Amino acid sequence: QATVTHAMLPAVFDPFHLPKFSMAYSTKPQERARAKERCMGGKATLYTGMKILVFIGILVILALLAVLYLKFKKAMFVMMVPAGVSLLTIAGMITQRPGFIWPIIAVSCFHMLLSIYFLVIFSFYFIFKPFYIIMVLNWAFNTLHNDKTASYYIQCAGIFSGLIVFLLFNLWQASVSHAYHRSIIRSKRAEDHRGSAPTILVVNNKPMEYASTQY
């Protein structure tokens, strides 16, 4: 009597025990596609990130308007530019028009260049000409210091920290806005692709393709 061993049996396809490389290969494109639609380390969608940016921008605009109203009312018209950018961004999010997202990207890039410029200038004066910084701080805080003090270093550290935070925030704002801009373009292209898909008719069991533009 012949004995049938396990090696002699034909291989059976088991869908629940696929090779690891095939599963990784099939899921990577989907993971990359999902990653393009998210921000903040994948914790939020790009749309949510844009809403957070708009909310922060509106709060900053209101705070600056309050300060200018109390200190320098004639300069309040300057806030028309960031207010207009915020309105265009909101309009772009509602209408899904990518052109309305460009202003916030441009403003973010401008703010990054501005913060880098101020960091370089402030670093130069901090290292080589600290007396000028002391003069400005005396004027700003109504003091009469003639030399470097503990408050001088604390205030300079605060200025450095503020400029770096401002730079990093605008870098994040530009990256999220640009990713959202690309997301709108991808969604519109997908809609156009679905709308221009060929129509397949079956005549006498023979499929025939006709372009949808012919109808």
Side-chain angles (χ1 to χ4, degrees):
Q1 184 177 359
T3 303
V4 179
T5 62
H6 179 72
M8 298 173 61
L9 294 175
V12 179
F13 176 76
D14 189 353
F16 298 101
H17 294 83
L18 294 176
K20 292 183 178 180
F21 68 88
S22 63
M23 293 295 292
Y25 179 79
S26 62
T27 56
K28 275 185 178 180
Q30 298 176 359
E31 292 176 357
R32 287 196 296 266
R34 285 195 297 267
K36 291 180 180 179
E37 303 297 329
R38 305 190 71 83
C39 62
M40 301 174 66
K43 297 180 180 179
T45 62
L46 290 174
Y47 186 77
T48 302
M50 290 299 297
K51 289 196 293 185
I52 293 173
L53 289 175
V54 170
F55 180 73
I56 294 174
I58 292 174
L59 288 181
V60 172
I61 290 171
L62 293 176
L64 291 176
L65 282 174
V67 172
L68 291 175
Y69 180 79
L70 296 175
K71 298 293 184 179
F72 194 37
K73 294 181 181 180
K74 294 182 179 180
M76 291 180 65
F77 74 95
V78 178
M79 301 307 298
M80 293 175 61
V81 175
V85 171
S86 298
L87 291 176
L88 284 175
T89 304
I90 295 172
M93 294 171 63
I94 294 174
T95 61
Q96 292 293 294
R97 297 182 65 176
F100 287 172
I101 308 299
W102 275 118
I104 191 172
I105 299 174
V107 169
S108 301
C109 295
F110 172 73
H111 285 166
M112 284 190 290
L113 293 175
L114 196 65
S115 57
I116 292 172
Y117 173 78
F118 275 111
L119 277 171
V120 172
I121 296 299
F122 190 79
S123 300
F124 173 80
Y125 278 94
F126 180 79
I127 296 172
F128 298 105
K129 296 183 178 181
F131 183 72
Y132 289 96
I133 298 178
I134 294 173
M135 290 176 57
V136 174
L137 293 176
N138 285 334
W139 171 80
F141 295 98
N142 195 20
T143 56
L144 297 174
H145 297 301
N146 295 322
D147 201 357
K148 298 177 182 179
T149 59
S151 61
Y152 165 80
Y153 289 104
I154 293 173
Q155 291 161 356
C156 289
I159 294 172
F160 271 117
S161 302
L163 289 173
I164 292 173
V165 169
F166 185 70
L167 172 62
L168 295 177
F169 174 78
N170 280 278
L171 178 62
W172 177 65
Q173 180 173 260
S175 63
V176 173
S177 302
H178 185 261
Y180 184 70
H181 175 268
R182 298 298 302 170
S183 175
I184 295 176
I185 294 176
R186 284 194 301 269
S187 63
K188 286 187 174 295
R189 287 177 179 174
E191 291 176 0
D192 295 340
H193 180 71
R194 286 194 296 267
S196 61
T199 303
I200 300 177
L201 300 178
V202 179
V203 180
N204 296 329
N205 295 327
K206 294 182 179 180
M208 302 177 64
E209 288 191 3
Y210 292 91
S212 60
T213 56
Q214 295 178 357
Y215 293 90

